[in-house]
Short mmCIF file of all heavy atoms in Angstrom, two decimals:
data_model
loop_
_atom_site.label_atom_id
_atom_site.label_comp_id
_atom_site.label_asym_id
_atom_site.label_seq_id
_atom_site.Cartn_x
_atom_site.Cartn_y
_atom_site.Cartn_z
N ARG A 534 -36.81 -11.16 109.66
CA ARG A 534 -37.60 -9.92 109.89
C ARG A 534 -36.76 -8.74 109.36
O ARG A 534 -35.62 -8.62 109.48
CB ARG A 534 -37.74 -9.78 111.44
CG ARG A 534 -38.77 -8.65 111.74
CD ARG A 534 -38.99 -8.54 113.26
NE ARG A 534 -39.71 -7.46 113.76
CZ ARG A 534 -41.08 -7.31 113.65
NH1 ARG A 534 -41.73 -8.37 113.31
NH2 ARG A 534 -41.67 -6.31 114.13
N PRO A 538 -37.76 1.64 110.89
CA PRO A 538 -38.25 2.29 112.11
C PRO A 538 -39.11 3.61 111.66
O PRO A 538 -39.97 4.08 112.59
CB PRO A 538 -37.06 2.67 113.00
CG PRO A 538 -35.93 2.66 111.92
CD PRO A 538 -36.35 1.65 110.89
N GLU A 539 -38.84 4.22 110.57
CA GLU A 539 -39.44 5.44 110.22
C GLU A 539 -40.62 5.21 109.10
O GLU A 539 -40.17 4.85 108.04
CB GLU A 539 -38.52 6.45 109.78
CG GLU A 539 -37.42 6.89 110.72
CD GLU A 539 -36.14 6.97 110.12
OE1 GLU A 539 -35.87 6.36 109.07
OE2 GLU A 539 -35.22 7.72 110.58
N LEU A 542 -40.69 10.18 106.45
CA LEU A 542 -39.38 10.93 106.55
C LEU A 542 -39.55 12.21 105.65
O LEU A 542 -39.89 12.03 104.50
CB LEU A 542 -38.23 10.14 106.18
CG LEU A 542 -36.83 10.77 106.38
CD1 LEU A 542 -36.56 10.98 107.82
CD2 LEU A 542 -35.75 9.66 105.92
N LYS A 553 -33.54 4.17 107.28
CA LYS A 553 -33.01 3.18 108.13
C LYS A 553 -33.64 1.79 107.82
O LYS A 553 -34.81 1.68 107.55
CB LYS A 553 -33.04 3.46 109.59
CG LYS A 553 -32.10 4.58 110.02
CD LYS A 553 -32.18 4.90 111.52
CE LYS A 553 -31.16 5.75 112.00
NZ LYS A 553 -31.09 7.00 111.23
N CYS A 554 -32.65 0.77 107.86
CA CYS A 554 -33.30 -0.70 107.63
C CYS A 554 -32.43 -1.53 108.68
O CYS A 554 -31.16 -1.51 108.43
CB CYS A 554 -33.18 -1.12 106.23
SG CYS A 554 -33.52 -2.85 105.99
N SER A 557 -33.23 -9.11 110.66
CA SER A 557 -32.90 -10.33 111.55
C SER A 557 -32.99 -11.54 110.69
O SER A 557 -34.05 -11.81 110.05
CB SER A 557 -33.93 -10.31 112.65
OG SER A 557 -33.84 -11.45 113.48
N GLN A 573 -47.43 2.67 92.46
CA GLN A 573 -47.22 1.84 91.19
C GLN A 573 -46.42 0.74 91.48
O GLN A 573 -46.30 0.30 92.54
CB GLN A 573 -46.45 2.85 90.18
CG GLN A 573 -47.35 4.09 89.85
CD GLN A 573 -46.51 5.00 88.91
OE1 GLN A 573 -45.49 4.63 88.35
NE2 GLN A 573 -47.01 6.24 88.71
N LEU A 577 -36.69 -2.24 91.63
CA LEU A 577 -35.45 -2.45 92.37
C LEU A 577 -34.64 -1.18 92.23
O LEU A 577 -34.33 -0.73 91.21
CB LEU A 577 -34.67 -3.60 91.79
CG LEU A 577 -33.45 -4.02 92.56
CD1 LEU A 577 -33.78 -4.42 93.88
CD2 LEU A 577 -32.62 -5.14 91.81
N LEU A 578 -34.23 -0.73 93.48
CA LEU A 578 -33.32 0.50 93.50
C LEU A 578 -31.87 0.11 93.46
O LEU A 578 -31.04 0.46 92.72
CB LEU A 578 -33.66 1.34 94.69
CG LEU A 578 -32.93 2.70 94.73
CD1 LEU A 578 -33.23 3.50 93.67
CD2 LEU A 578 -33.33 3.41 96.08
N LEU A 579 -31.55 -0.83 94.51
CA LEU A 579 -30.26 -1.52 94.58
C LEU A 579 -30.27 -2.63 95.34
O LEU A 579 -31.09 -2.96 96.17
CB LEU A 579 -29.17 -0.39 94.91
CG LEU A 579 -29.46 0.31 96.23
CD1 LEU A 579 -29.10 -0.45 97.46
CD2 LEU A 579 -28.51 1.67 96.29
N ARG A 584 -23.24 -3.63 94.83
CA ARG A 584 -22.58 -2.34 95.38
C ARG A 584 -22.69 -1.22 94.39
O ARG A 584 -21.66 -0.49 94.28
CB ARG A 584 -21.07 -2.81 95.71
CG ARG A 584 -20.99 -3.87 96.68
CD ARG A 584 -19.53 -4.19 97.12
NE ARG A 584 -18.95 -3.13 97.81
CZ ARG A 584 -19.15 -3.02 99.19
NH1 ARG A 584 -19.86 -3.86 99.82
NH2 ARG A 584 -18.63 -1.99 99.78
N ASP A 593 -24.89 0.27 102.44
CA ASP A 593 -23.89 -0.61 102.76
C ASP A 593 -24.45 -1.65 103.80
O ASP A 593 -25.10 -1.25 104.76
CB ASP A 593 -22.62 0.25 103.42
CG ASP A 593 -21.91 0.90 102.45
OD1 ASP A 593 -21.76 0.40 101.35
OD2 ASP A 593 -21.58 2.08 102.68
N LEU A 594 -24.15 -2.72 103.59
CA LEU A 594 -24.59 -3.87 104.44
C LEU A 594 -23.60 -3.93 105.64
O LEU A 594 -22.34 -4.06 105.55
CB LEU A 594 -24.58 -5.25 103.84
CG LEU A 594 -24.90 -6.40 104.72
CD1 LEU A 594 -26.30 -6.28 105.25
CD2 LEU A 594 -24.73 -7.76 103.85
N GLU A 598 -24.08 -4.64 112.90
CA GLU A 598 -25.21 -3.98 113.27
C GLU A 598 -26.48 -4.41 112.67
O GLU A 598 -27.61 -3.87 112.87
CB GLU A 598 -25.00 -2.45 113.07
CG GLU A 598 -23.80 -1.91 113.82
CD GLU A 598 -23.84 -0.30 113.63
OE1 GLU A 598 -24.66 0.27 112.69
OE2 GLU A 598 -22.88 0.29 114.15
N THR A 599 -26.39 -5.45 111.84
CA THR A 599 -27.51 -5.99 110.97
C THR A 599 -28.31 -4.89 110.44
O THR A 599 -29.56 -4.78 110.67
CB THR A 599 -28.44 -7.02 111.84
OG1 THR A 599 -28.88 -6.29 112.98
CG2 THR A 599 -27.59 -8.24 112.29
N LYS A 604 -28.73 5.82 101.79
CA LYS A 604 -28.29 7.08 101.86
C LYS A 604 -28.16 7.87 100.56
O LYS A 604 -27.96 7.23 99.55
CB LYS A 604 -26.93 7.14 102.63
CG LYS A 604 -26.83 6.48 103.92
CD LYS A 604 -25.46 6.43 104.51
CE LYS A 604 -25.43 5.63 105.74
NZ LYS A 604 -24.01 5.65 106.40
N ALA A 608 -30.76 15.23 98.45
CA ALA A 608 -32.09 14.61 98.02
C ALA A 608 -32.82 15.76 97.00
O ALA A 608 -32.47 16.82 97.06
CB ALA A 608 -33.01 14.69 99.24
N ASP A 612 -37.27 12.33 94.30
CA ASP A 612 -36.99 11.16 95.14
C ASP A 612 -38.19 10.84 96.13
O ASP A 612 -38.12 9.78 96.85
CB ASP A 612 -35.73 11.38 96.04
CG ASP A 612 -34.40 11.51 95.21
OD1 ASP A 612 -34.40 10.85 94.13
OD2 ASP A 612 -33.54 12.24 95.66
N MET A 615 -42.27 5.87 98.15
CA MET A 615 -42.15 4.89 99.33
C MET A 615 -41.06 3.98 99.09
O MET A 615 -40.87 3.50 97.94
CB MET A 615 -43.38 4.12 99.30
CG MET A 615 -43.55 3.08 100.41
SD MET A 615 -43.69 3.74 102.09
CE MET A 615 -45.47 3.85 102.21
N LEU A 620 -35.58 -8.47 102.23
CA LEU A 620 -34.41 -9.46 102.54
C LEU A 620 -34.78 -10.70 101.78
O LEU A 620 -35.92 -11.24 101.77
CB LEU A 620 -34.60 -9.89 104.16
CG LEU A 620 -33.75 -11.04 104.72
CD1 LEU A 620 -32.28 -10.75 104.66
CD2 LEU A 620 -34.15 -11.38 106.03
N GLY A 621 -33.77 -11.20 101.02
CA GLY A 621 -33.95 -12.37 100.35
C GLY A 621 -33.37 -13.64 101.13
O GLY A 621 -32.26 -13.59 101.56
N GLU A 622 -34.02 -14.69 101.13
CA GLU A 622 -33.75 -15.86 101.91
C GLU A 622 -32.59 -16.62 101.19
O GLU A 622 -32.51 -16.49 99.98
CB GLU A 622 -34.90 -16.77 102.20
CG GLU A 622 -36.02 -16.13 103.07
CD GLU A 622 -37.02 -17.16 103.45
OE1 GLU A 622 -37.02 -18.19 102.75
OE2 GLU A 622 -37.94 -16.68 104.12
N SER A 626 -36.22 -17.94 97.63
CA SER A 626 -37.64 -17.74 97.02
C SER A 626 -38.22 -16.37 97.45
O SER A 626 -37.96 -15.47 96.78
CB SER A 626 -38.56 -18.84 97.58
OG SER A 626 -38.51 -18.98 99.10
N ARG A 627 -38.78 -16.39 98.64
CA ARG A 627 -39.46 -15.13 98.96
C ARG A 627 -38.62 -13.94 99.45
O ARG A 627 -37.41 -14.09 99.77
CB ARG A 627 -40.44 -15.45 100.34
CG ARG A 627 -39.63 -15.57 101.60
CD ARG A 627 -40.54 -16.06 102.65
NE ARG A 627 -40.82 -17.48 102.49
CZ ARG A 627 -41.74 -18.06 103.17
NH1 ARG A 627 -42.49 -17.52 104.09
NH2 ARG A 627 -41.96 -19.36 102.90
N GLY A 631 -39.83 -4.77 104.60
CA GLY A 631 -40.09 -3.93 105.76
C GLY A 631 -41.35 -3.18 105.56
O GLY A 631 -42.07 -3.47 104.55
N GLU A 632 -41.77 -2.48 106.55
CA GLU A 632 -43.03 -1.72 106.48
C GLU A 632 -43.08 -0.66 105.54
O GLU A 632 -44.12 -0.08 105.13
CB GLU A 632 -43.45 -1.23 107.97
CG GLU A 632 -43.51 -2.34 109.01
CD GLU A 632 -42.17 -2.49 109.65
OE1 GLU A 632 -41.16 -2.09 109.20
OE2 GLU A 632 -42.21 -3.12 110.84
N PRO A 640 -39.51 21.25 98.53
CA PRO A 640 -38.71 22.26 97.72
C PRO A 640 -38.17 23.34 98.61
O PRO A 640 -38.48 23.53 99.74
CB PRO A 640 -39.85 22.87 96.73
CG PRO A 640 -41.05 22.65 97.46
CD PRO A 640 -40.95 21.37 98.15
#
Side-chain angles (χ1 to χ4, degrees):
Chain A
R534 184 178 175 85
E539 301 140 330
L542 186 61
K553 292 184 168 52
C554 172
S557 173
Q573 295 177 15
L577 181 64
L578 186 60
L579 54 79
R584 303 184 71 81
D593 289 317
L594 178 62
E598 296 182 358
T599 59
K604 301 177 185 178
D612 296 329
M615 180 70 89
L620 171 70
E622 296 181 357
S626 55
R627 74 190 70 191
E632 303 91 340

